[in-house]
Amino acid sequence: MRLRLDLSYDGTGFRGWAVQPGLRTVQGEIEAAIAMILRLPRSAQLTCAGRTDAGVHARGQVAHVDLDDVDPGHLERRLRRLLPDDIVLRSLTVAADGFDARFAALERRYAYRMFDGPPGPDPLTRTSVVRWPRRLDVEAMNAAGDRLVGEHDFASFCKKREGATTIRTLRQLSTVRDGDSLETTVRADAFCHSMVRSLMGLLVAVGERRYEPEWTDEVLAKATRDARVMVMPPHGLVLEEVVYPDDAGLAARAAESRRRRDE
């Protein structure tokens, strides 16, 4: 039986999503709890829609796990009692045929939040909002972001992995200001490692007026990491939503995504 888990978590106390020996991770905590509840001899592996880095949060993470002879309602209730306070299981359901949390996803949506006013952000948001010391030009940031929308090789914004493509379709990269608060929405079919935080580094460099928006074209064309583009702090980043097709389109979408990753 394949089960779908919808999750939210505060990434502050985790070394990211993926299991790492001796380190506290989101995946590790959930897998350990499932193994304890079901008395499994070894952990049942979770697959998630997007592996978040250390310090990155999620409001709309999705994962799946394959288990035998399980009462989903019982497991959901037990997990909610056993999981730590910084992980919330929003729902646990039997997945539709063809569902794959990673490959069936059509889109991931992230938000990156900053504050660039002199007093600093509300201290109660210090683990989810990045304080920036210089005023940012949102119009220039959006002009730069518009140049990145579309299908491109984002190798200049990613940490490359052996055998993995860095071609992605970016659907939105836009920033809005509300007083001293800035929120950037980033939407794409998928993201490679460190891509969102590197995109934010470029936007901030342009927003500080150190470079013109057209500089974006130069960085994108290099197809290698540019030292002038910083990787922004992780705690401003939240995985807000993962979008899937309707049940009838799940299997076809998963097959298409696997094929593209292998090309």
Side-chain angles (χ1 to χ4, degrees):
M1 180 188 298
R2 175 159 291 185
L3 299 175
R4 169 175 169 161
L5 294 81
D6 287 77
L7 302 156
S8 299
Y9 50 85
D10 178 347
T12 305
F14 296 104
R15 293 299 296 272
W17 166 270
V19 168
Q20 301 179 62
L23 298 176
R24 185 171 187 258
T25 68
V26 181
Q27 181 184 10
E29 291 285 332
I30 300 171
E31 288 182 355
I34 292 173
M36 181 179 296
I37 293 167
L38 301 179
R39 300 181 181 179
L40 301 177
R42 60 181 181 274
S43 296
Q45 186 173 352
L46 285 165
T47 298
C48 73
R51 293 185 175 188
T52 49
D53 294 336
V56 175
H57 315 291
R59 185 172 283 110
Q61 177 70 279
V62 181
H64 76 249
V65 63
D66 296 326
L67 296 168
D68 295 324
D69 301 321
V70 173
D71 178 342
H74 173 75
L75 180 59
E76 181 179 33
R77 290 189 296 272
R78 292 289 305 278
L79 267 177
R80 284 188 171 143
R81 289 198 295 267
L82 195 57
L83 287 173
D85 290 343
D86 46 4
I87 301 176
V88 171
L89 176 63
R90 295 163 53 210
S91 67
L92 187 152
T93 56
V94 176
D97 290 344
F99 179 79
D100 184 296
R102 178 186 178 194
F103 288 111
L106 293 171
E107 177 182 293
R108 286 87 170 162
R109 176 171 64 88
Y110 283 85
Y112 196 92
R113 297 178 175 92
M114 294 184 290
F115 189 97
D116 62 359
D122 182 338
L124 298 181
T125 67
R126 67 188 182 280
T127 60
S128 59
V129 177
V130 172
R131 180 176 186 174
W132 202 251
R134 291 171 289 279
R135 196 72 170 176
L136 297 170
D137 183 334
V138 170
E139 184 176 341
M141 293 169 69
N142 284 329
D146 287 345
R147 305 179 85 89
L148 290 166
V149 171
E151 183 179 278
H152 305 287
D153 186 344
F154 285 95
S156 50
F157 296 94
C158 299
K159 292 182 180 178
K160 289 189 177 181
R161 290 176 173 169
E162 188 68 27
T165 180
T166 50
I167 296 174
R168 299 289 188 269
T169 301
L170 185 64
R171 294 172 180 153
Q172 182 179 358
L173 182 58
S174 61
T175 303
V176 295
R177 176 183 288 282
D178 180 8
D180 295 328
S181 298
L182 291 85
E183 180 174 318
T184 300
T185 298
V186 193
R187 297 169 45 236
D189 59 343
F191 295 93
C192 43
H193 192 215
S194 295
M195 178 174 163
V196 179
R197 291 163 58 200
S198 297
L199 290 172
M200 289 305 307
L202 181 140
L203 295 189
V204 166
V206 172
E208 291 185 332
R209 306 301 285 173
R210 289 187 282 123
Y211 303 97
E212 293 300 315
E214 292 76 15
W215 174 64
T216 304
D217 301 340
E218 176 189 337
V219 174
L220 185 64
K222 287 182 66 174
T224 57
R225 293 300 296 271
D226 191 317
R228 296 172 294 178
V229 177
M230 73 182 82
V231 178
M232 291 290 286
H235 66 277
L237 186 58
V238 180
L239 173 57
E240 295 283 354
E241 181 186 24
V242 184
V243 178
Y244 293 94
D246 59 26
D247 291 353
L250 287 169
R253 173 59 184 175
E256 177 190 2
S257 296
R258 288 191 180 93
R259 177 183 56 78
R260 288 190 63 191
R261 300 294 171 86
D262 291 338
E263 288 178 346

